[in-house]
């Protein structure tokens, strides 16, 4: 292109360009240079961990599909790993954030230098699912419970539902770690485990395709904050601008997911390969658990920390300020005009 532009040019003519023409040319070259610089700037990769597949993280995945991360100059890499591993990776700086926050909240109460900056779920999205031959919790004595992480949110809620049904989950149930909820469902079908706690859409798949029985719902039984974003205290201090961009992308994905039932359900169907009827039922069943602002109420936080204190055998619940900092999330809501 440069040679074509220069071909046949009179070298003496340029010095007699009118002042207005020269100004226009300089402005044009500056504009092209600036545009080229922006286009060549690669998006910053951010690594975010999540524990298991399920509707809990739909807003994150949708934010990527809709291009909300690109709008913030980011390229997300979602990495599935157990919460216990993700907590250590977050503390050491190997991750930018963790979308599974239940276990992280308990780790913070034990001294981990992490901070919760946004919350997706205000209630726990787990249903107690068992094999077809069992119709009550008391029949499950001595059986095997499959969960993602020992001591994680799924494990805690499953034990809570079993205890409400009359069993001592510490003494009368065997708990084993199985990576993902899809794998847990396969283990349930194969009778390697007899109990698990599933989130949508897998709870509907278990019921409809494999005729498993659903005995209880944690959403209706317990207070429980889960999913969102937890980051290291150091990253929050050193790079609040980066955390804010991540939060903005997540907030836009969350709001789109909550405001568009059909599109949200179709998205669930695509990423988890379930039919639209199952996806729509899963969407509607989960809606009461979601926050629209990324910030739970003071009472919901208080209830969650009280339950954690009981599980962790703490003398008193932790103070919310030790665990949560919603300053950046509130700024994001103001900038986006979200109520």
């Amino acid at each position: 292109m440069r040679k074509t532009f220069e071909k046949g040019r009179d070298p003496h003519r340029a010095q007699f360009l009118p002042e207005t023409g020269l100004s226009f040319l300089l402005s044009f070259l500056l504009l092209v240079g600036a545009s080229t610089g922006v286009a060549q700037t690669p998006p910053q990769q951010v690594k975010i961990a999540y524990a298991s597949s399920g509707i809990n993280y739909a807003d994150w995945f949708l934010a990527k599909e809709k291009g909300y991360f690109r709008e913030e100059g980011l390229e997300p890499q979602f990495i599935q790993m157990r919460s216990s591993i993700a907590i250590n990776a977050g503390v050491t700086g190997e991750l930018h954030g963790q979308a599974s926050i239940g276990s992280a909240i308990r780790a913070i109460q034990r001294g981990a230098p992490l901070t919760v900056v946004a919350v997706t779920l205000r209630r726990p999205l787990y249903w107690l699912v068992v094999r077809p031959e069992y119709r009550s919790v008391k029949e499950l004595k001595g059986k095997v419970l499959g969960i993602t992480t020992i001591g994680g949110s799924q494990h805690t809620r499953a034990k809570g539902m079993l205890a409400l049904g009359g069993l001592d989950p510490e003494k009368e149930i065997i708990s084993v770690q199985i990576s993902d909820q899809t794998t847990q469902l396969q283990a349930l079908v194969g009778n390697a485990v007899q109990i698990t706690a599933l989130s949508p859409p897998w709870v509907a798949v278990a019921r409809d395709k494999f005729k498993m029985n659903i005995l209880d719902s944690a959403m209706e039984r317990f207070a429980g904050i889960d999913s969102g974003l937890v980051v290291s205290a150091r990253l929050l201090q050193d790079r609040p601008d980066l955390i804010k961009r991540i939060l903005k992308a997540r907030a836009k994905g969350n709001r789109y997911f909550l405001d568009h039932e059909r599109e949200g359900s179709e998205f669930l169907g695509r990423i988890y390969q379930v039919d639209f009827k199952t996806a729509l039922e899963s969407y509607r069943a989960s809606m009461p658990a979601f926050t629209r602002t990324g910030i739970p109420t003071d009472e919901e936080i208080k209830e969650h920390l009280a339950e954690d204190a009981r599980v962790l055998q703490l003398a008193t619940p932790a103070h919310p300020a030790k665990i949560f900092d919603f300053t950046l999330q509130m700024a994001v809501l103001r900038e986006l005009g979200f109520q």
Side-chain angles (χ1 to χ4, degrees):
M1 287 296 291
R2 183 176 178 181
K3 289 184 178 180
T4 302
F5 178 73
E6 291 183 345
K7 184 177 180 181
R9 177 177 64 86
D10 182 351
H12 300 291
R13 192 174 181 182
Q15 60 183 314
F16 299 112
L17 276 173
E19 184 176 345
T20 54
L22 182 59
S23 299
F24 175 80
L25 178 60
L26 290 172
S27 299
F28 175 77
L29 291 174
L30 287 171
L31 178 63
V32 170
S35 299
T36 302
V38 170
Q40 291 177 343
T41 302
Q44 179 175 355
Q45 187 179 80
V46 290
K47 297 179 180 179
I48 299 171
Y50 69 101
S52 183
S53 60
I55 200 171
N56 312 39
Y57 312 109
D59 50 2
W60 286 103
F61 302 146
L62 184 59
K64 180 177 182 178
E65 181 178 279
K66 299 292 290 184
Y68 297 144
F69 280 97
R70 287 196 303 273
E71 292 175 3
E72 300 302 322
L74 302 172
E75 179 60 40
Q77 181 183 1
F78 296 115
I79 307 168
Q80 185 174 346
M81 63 176 69
R82 287 177 180 155
S83 294
S84 55
I85 299 173
I87 288 166
N88 291 330
V91 170
T92 59
E94 298 173 73
L95 292 172
H96 293 92
Q98 183 180 345
S100 312
I101 68 172
S103 296
I105 290 174
R106 288 186 284 278
I108 295 170
Q109 293 174 81
R110 293 191 294 264
L114 300 168
T115 303
V116 176
V117 294
V119 172
T120 299
L121 299 179
R122 48 181 288 276
R123 308 296 291 184
L125 275 179
Y126 296 108
W127 278 256
L128 189 66
V129 182
V130 302
R131 284 187 51 80
E133 56 265 34
Y134 305 110
R135 297 187 175 276
S136 72
V137 169
K138 290 185 178 181
E139 297 176 49
L140 301 173
K141 184 176 180 179
K143 305 306 178 185
V144 181
L145 166 68
I147 38 84
T148 301
T149 302
I150 297 293
S153 296
Q154 181 194 26
H155 191 204
T156 300
R157 302 311 171 195
K159 290 194 299 181
M161 288 184 281
L162 290 167
L164 288 174
L167 289 182
D168 182 341
E170 302 296 343
K171 298 177 180 179
E172 298 179 311
I173 295 293
I174 303 166
S175 296
V176 297
Q177 291 189 158
I178 301 175
S179 59
D180 187 81
Q181 288 194 30
T182 55
T183 311
Q184 292 162 23
L185 178 54
Q186 292 171 4
L188 195 66
V189 172
N191 203 24
V193 303
Q194 293 76 47
I195 318 160
T196 189
L198 299 178
S199 301
W202 309 123
V203 59
V205 173
R207 179 198 63 198
D208 297 340
K209 184 176 181 179
F210 299 108
K211 310 306 177 185
M212 300 296 169
N213 287 329
I214 301 171
L215 299 186
D216 209 345
S217 166
M219 186 172 68
E220 299 172 3
R221 293 283 198 167
F222 306 107
I225 291 169
D226 198 10
S227 304
L229 182 63
V230 61
V231 300
S232 74
R234 181 170 183 177
L235 184 64
L236 182 60
Q237 179 180 345
D238 294 346
R239 292 297 310 277
D241 57 318
L242 176 60
I243 302 303
K244 187 177 179 182
R245 287 154 60 199
I246 295 173
L247 286 172
K248 188 176 286 188
R250 190 212 71 89
K252 287 188 280 189
N254 175 267
R255 189 56 60 95
Y256 188 92
F257 181 68
L258 298 181
D259 284 350
H260 297 81
E261 180 182 83
R262 183 170 188 86
E263 293 88 341
S265 299
E266 289 173 344
F267 177 73
L268 290 176
R270 286 198 306 276
I271 61 173
Y272 296 129
Q273 299 182 343
V274 297
D275 60 79
F276 180 75
K277 180 182 177 182
T278 298
L280 180 61
E281 180 188 5
S282 299
Y283 180 98
R284 290 176 173 173
S286 303
M287 283 303 101
F290 277 82
T291 66
R292 290 183 62 82
T293 62
I295 303 174
T297 66
D298 291 343
E299 186 60 31
E300 287 164 349
I301 290 175
K302 181 180 178 180
E303 289 178 344
H304 182 93
L305 295 180
E307 176 63 15
D308 268 5
R310 185 191 67 79
V311 172
L312 297 173
Q313 298 182 336
L314 303 176
T316 57
H319 193 281
K322 178 183 177 182
I323 297 166
F324 303 94
D325 185 348
F326 297 121
T327 304
L328 292 177
Q329 179 65 14
M330 289 188 288
V332 165
L333 295 175
R334 288 194 299 270
E335 291 181 16
L336 295 176
F338 289 171
Q339 301 295 323

